[in-house]
Amino acid sequence: MAEVRPDSASRQRTRANIVECAAQLLREQGASAVTTRAVAQAVGMQAPTIYRFFEDKDALLDAVAEHVFATYVSGKTLVEDSGDPVADLRAGWDTHIGFGLANAALFGLLTDPSREVRSPAAAAGLEVLRARVHRVAAIGRLRVPERRAVELIHAAGTGAVLTLLSTPPEHRERDLADAMYEAVMRSILTDMPTLPADSTTAVAVAFRAVAPKLTMLTGAERALLSEWLDRTGDGPTTPGASAGPD
């Protein structure tokens, strides 16, 4: 491993100090308090010096998001691939809700639709959700396409946190998030991994999840198979529904 030069180590310490000071301002005074001038003053440097470490304010906020989330999860017992994909999905939901309620100002920034570029921290979280949904699909428990499941869970989780945050703490119904999760699961999960014959969508979604691993097929064959399965997975799921006119 290459030795870290003193100047590099000093730069890393300064950068970490900037992030910590910005996180403290955000936590104690809200998003409006996190200005370049205020952060620089808290650190004890000139405002332009901040730009030697961060391209702009959004880059600083992204670093704060990563720092705060890492600090949050370090104190939690997280379920990582426990062997039960459905339980792992629930664990991820609980972490999302808990983090949002514990970090209201930061959550608001991460979900702000006016930001031109999606936060890397938010994007990384979405990738984790996609991976967990994919594992659920692979065991035959999804009744909808993976993308649809991800969008529903993401929308429900974000909405649940924002709704709770908009309610005074003493009036919050903490079981709202649980009720939201159960409602979404009823719409996207099958009851059992052993699929009935008429659950063509669930079968297609499960097969689609493992199709890329079928190495006995050529790349072109796997791509064609995936396209066919995508069409099947997006088809009607109501018994008796038709894909078109008779």
Side-chain angles (χ1 to χ4, degrees):
M1 179 181 295
E3 183 178 353
V4 178
R5 298 192 306 274
D7 58 332
S8 178
S10 176
R11 179 179 176 82
Q12 290 175 11
R13 286 194 298 270
T14 301
R15 186 182 189 279
N17 190 29
I18 293 171
V19 171
E20 289 173 2
C21 287
Q24 184 175 355
L25 281 172
L26 181 64
R27 181 173 59 253
E28 295 177 353
Q29 301 181 38
S32 61
V34 187
T35 64
T36 303
R37 182 181 298 277
V39 173
Q41 183 176 0
V43 176
M45 62 173 56
Q46 296 296 317
T49 307
I50 295 286
Y51 296 108
R52 298 180 185 175
F53 298 87
F54 301 96
E55 181 180 354
D56 52 28
K57 181 180 176 181
D58 278 347
L60 172 58
L61 290 174
D62 289 336
V64 170
E66 293 174 4
H67 169 73
V68 173
F69 186 72
T71 301
Y72 176 81
V73 299
S74 67
K76 301 293 178 182
T77 301
L78 299 181
V79 178
E80 292 294 340
D81 196 10
S82 68
D84 183 346
V86 176
D88 291 348
L89 190 60
R90 177 57 194 254
W93 170 276
D94 290 340
T95 298
H96 174 83
I97 299 297
F99 174 77
L101 295 181
N103 300 276
L106 181 57
F107 191 85
L109 288 173
L110 292 175
T111 57
D112 184 357
S114 68
R115 292 192 67 183
E116 295 182 0
V117 179
R118 175 179 292 177
S119 163
L126 199 55
E127 282 305 309
V128 171
L129 174 59
R130 289 193 183 102
R132 292 191 175 188
V133 168
H134 179 74
R135 291 198 292 270
V136 173
I139 63 170
R141 291 294 306 274
L142 277 189
R143 67 169 76 247
V144 299
E146 289 182 47
R147 179 178 176 180
R148 177 71 169 174
V150 169
E151 290 173 344
L152 285 170
I153 296 170
H154 178 64
T158 300
V161 172
L162 293 177
T163 298
L164 289 169
L165 289 177
S166 68
T167 306
E170 65 273 17
H171 295 144
R172 288 176 187 168
E173 297 182 9
R174 294 299 298 270
D175 64 344
L176 182 146
D178 293 334
M180 180 69 77
Y181 181 81
E182 295 301 328
V184 172
M185 291 304 106
R186 284 194 295 271
S187 71
I188 70 172
L189 292 183
T190 61
D191 292 332
M192 296 292 292
T194 304
L195 304 173
D198 62 349
S199 295
T200 55
T201 299
V203 173
V205 170
F207 196 11
R208 176 67 178 83
V210 299
K213 301 178 182 178
L214 301 178
T215 56
M216 73 289 295
L217 301 178
T218 66
E221 289 170 337
R222 289 195 295 272
L224 182 58
L225 176 60
S226 295
E227 181 183 347
W228 288 340
L229 291 169
D230 284 341
R231 293 180 186 175
T232 304
D234 288 331
T237 57
T238 305
S242 172
D246 293 336

